[in-house]
Amino acid sequence: MDSAAFRITSSLMKKGMFDPHFVGKFRGRGEWRDSAGGKGGYQVEHEILPTESGLTIRYTHIFDNDDPDVTASLELSEIAPCIYTVALGGNPVGHGYFLAGLLHFSIQAGDVQVETGCRSSEAGLSVWGSSNRNAAGNFIAWQENLTRG
């Protein structure tokens, strides 16, 4: 972690808003299931960076079934202790929180609603979430096991 990232992370930790184990690059596998009985796997590249106002979360999902890759970058900015607004491309799309070692956020992009939670450890991240609609129009849930590095 560079000195600026360390300073920002330390500041957030002093406020009780962040766990340093969340910062870094992570890789691993995810699995999804949908309401039509579909399921599949994917590779995950995930990065969480501290910013002056909160966090940036970047990820890429590379699906095993030839679905198009999904890449996103979310900005979480503190609006109150432990509470964040979530932006996508600079546009507010939701809210989140960091409490009791859990980072959680929900967003709305058009008529699609997504909620995601993360828990960290020294070894990596556990990520899970759901959405009211995947590309096929079905409710979907997923879980990812990611290791640092």
Side-chain angles (χ1 to χ4, degrees), residues 3-18:
S3 62
F6 178 79
R7 180 179 51 76
I8 295 165
T9 302
S10 295
S11 173
L12 293 171
M13 286 171 35
K14 285 177 186 172
K15 295 178 187 177
M17 296 175 42
F18 198 63

Side-chain angles (χ1 to χ4, degrees), residues 29-64:
R29 296 274 311 157
E31 181 179 290
W32 62 267
R33 295 179 180 270
D34 73 17
S35 58
K39 66 179 183 174
Y42 55 98
Q43 294 290 328
V44 180
E45 295 178 10
H46 193 102
E47 183 174 26
I48 300 178
L49 304 167
T51 66
E52 289 291 339
S53 62
L55 308 169
T56 294
I57 299 174
R58 297 182 187 139
Y59 63 86
T60 299
H61 295 165
I62 303 167
F63 294 93
D64 298 344

Side-chain angles (χ1 to χ4, degrees), residues 82-100:
C82 304
I83 305 296
Y84 296 88
T85 186
V86 181
L88 182 61
N91 298 310
V93 293
H95 290 89
Y97 61 86
F98 181 79
L99 293 170

Side-chain angles (χ1 to χ4, degrees), residues 18 24 36 94 100 106 114 126-127 141:
F18 198 63
S106 58
V114 178
S126 293
V127 180

Side-chain angles (χ1 to χ4, degrees), residues 66-142:
D66 297 325
D67 278 354
D69 296 353
V70 172
T71 299
S73 180
L74 302 166
E75 302 87 35
L76 282 70
S77 299
E78 178 189 15
I79 57 173
C82 304
I83 305 296
Y84 296 88
T85 186
V86 181
L88 182 61
N91 298 310
V93 293
H95 290 89
Y97 61 86
F98 181 79
L99 293 170
L102 174 67
L103 175 63
H104 182 271
F105 59 89
S106 58
I107 64 173
Q108 179 132 5
D111 62 348
V112 176
Q113 300 165 353
V114 178
E115 65 85 24
T116 302
C118 303
R119 246 196 223 287
S120 73
S121 69
E122 289 185 25
L125 290 177
S126 293
V127 180
W128 61 93
S130 65
S131 177
N132 66 319
R133 195 172 61 133
N134 63 6
N138 301 314
F139 176 84
I140 187 170
W142 59 88

